[in-house]
Amino acid sequence: MTEPPSPGPGLASKIVAGVLLVLPFPVYLAVPSYAKITPRLAGFPFFYWWQLLWVVLTAVCIGSAHLLTRRRGGGAR
């Protein structure tokens, strides 16, 4: 006998997931705040390594939001 699927994520999980998904947008849109050369990291200007850092952090935010909102339990939906 199969178990019924557990209920979906709670409201708090959905709110946190929404914040995680929205968090990168203001950072990417605030170009004047990071459009500079210094400080350099391994020879790369700030502009480049800051964007690359946020590409990785955005992936972490999206992955975390997914983990917070996925349904528990397997089987067909």
Side-chain angles (χ1 to χ4, degrees):
M1 190 173 279
T2 61
E3 296 180 24
S6 61
L11 180 61
S13 294
K14 289 180 181 180
I15 291 172
V16 172
V19 169
L20 286 170
L21 291 174
V22 171
L23 179 68
F25 285 102
V27 175
Y28 286 128
L29 294 175
V31 176
S33 69
Y34 61 87
K36 50 189 168 185
I37 296 173
T38 57
R40 290 180 173 267
L41 182 66
F44 289 99
F46 181 74
F47 181 78
Y48 293 114
W49 67 260
W50 182 253
Q51 286 183 337
L52 185 59
L53 172 69
W54 273 97
V55 167
V56 174
L57 291 177
T58 299
V60 170
C61 288
I62 292 171
S64 299
H66 169 72
L67 291 175
L68 284 170
T69 58
R70 70 180 179 165
R71 287 181 183 246
R72 303 295 191 262
R77 294 185 199 186

